[in-house]
Amino acid sequence: MRVDVVTLFPDMIDAPLSESIVGRARNEGLLELGFSNPRDFAADRHGTVDDRPYGGGTGMVMMAEPVYRAIGKVKRKGTYVVLLTPKGVRFDQGLAVKLSAKKHLVLVCGHYEGIDERVSSSADLELSIGDYVLTGGEPAAVAVIDAVTRLLPGVLRKKDAAVNETFTDGLLEAPHYTRPGVWRGKKVPGVLLSGDHARIAAWRRRSAESLTGKRRPDLKKPPRAAGRKGF
Ligand code: ADE
């Protein structure tokens, strides 16, 4: 898969996505990550990409033309354009799965108060990673790329590592333990040492259901019918 990120701050994305599993996926060519900087398309020699909002108010707004041209530089036929914004549809594992099926994503990161609506409204999808406001879309782009990359074929080593996990079947995952069997007086649940795979699976299912009920009862409800363009 190829992902291009439209951002004023490519290092905020390149650096965290150079480590660990995503870094390896990039080295192996499973993920091609590129950047397009609106600053390169500024109309003046100062590289101005933002201006005051029409109608007044605090903060600055990213101008339509440099963002539009930065998208145009990387967009091709079949590209799926995603704008990161706290006003977007909430990102979840289901959306990660759907995005991981795309051949080419362009993620557009807003900064300041956001991007001129005339360009932002042309995205295929507006996406938020949660109900809080970040300084810009870059940390959100990192989260989305990370969640999508680990779903790409060949990225995770163990065949079922992306199957039996939190959210995949609408539940939080059961707890994990590793050696030693007793750590500072705390024991690993005996069933996990039993070698009885059916009992272990049943215990994990019960634990997952109980944890989900306590911590995230909303996950047990039917999924929201959000306005998701393009899916
Ligand atoms: N930009 C600022 N806050 C954001 C959020 N919560 N999700 C996506 N993009 C953002």
Side-chain angles (χ1 to χ4, degrees), residues 130-179:
D131 291 342
Y132 41 81
V133 182
L134 302 164
T135 55
E138 285 77 7
V142 170
V144 170
I145 294 166
D146 185 292
V148 166
T149 301
R150 62 190 291 287
L151 296 172
L152 298 177
V155 170
L156 293 187
R157 291 280 189 250
K158 261 178 89 185
K159 222 174 92 258
D160 65 349
V163 178
N164 287 322
E165 65 181 8
T166 292
F167 301 126
T168 300
D169 55 3
L171 293 174
L172 303 179
E173 239 183 332
H176 301 289
Y177 300 87
T178 188
R179 287 185 294 180

Side-chain angles (χ1 to χ4, degrees), residues 92-220:
D92 62 14
Q93 189 65 18
L95 279 172
V97 170
K98 285 172 179 162
L99 292 179
S100 72
K102 307 280 180 195
K103 277 205 163 60
H104 183 213
L105 295 177
V106 169
L107 303 186
V108 184
C109 301
H111 246 268
Y112 316 115
E113 281 306 299
I115 302 175
D116 189 308
E117 183 69 19
R118 292 166 292 184
V119 63
S120 59
S121 60
S122 65
D124 295 304
L125 181 71
E126 297 191 26
L127 207 54
S128 164
I129 62 161
D131 291 342
Y132 41 81
V133 182
L134 302 164
T135 55
E138 285 77 7
V142 170
V144 170
I145 294 166
D146 185 292
V148 166
T149 301
R150 62 190 291 287
L151 296 172
L152 298 177
V155 170
L156 293 187
R157 291 280 189 250
K158 261 178 89 185
K159 222 174 92 258
D160 65 349
V163 178
N164 287 322
E165 65 181 8
T166 292
F167 301 126
T168 300
D169 55 3
L171 293 174
L172 303 179
E173 239 183 332
H176 301 289
Y177 300 87
T178 188
R179 287 185 294 180
V182 182
W183 175 76
R184 295 186 180 241
K186 293 183 176 182
K187 283 190 192 151
V188 172
V191 58
L192 296 178
L193 311 175
S194 69
D196 180 338
H197 297 300
R199 265 185 72 212
I200 292 172
W203 178 87
R204 286 196 170 132
R205 180 82 201 177
R206 272 199 317 278
S207 302
E209 280 173 354
S210 137
L211 186 64
T212 308
K214 270 189 224 132
R215 215 171 269 174
R216 292 293 306 277
D218 57 300
L219 288 178
K220 294 198 157 177

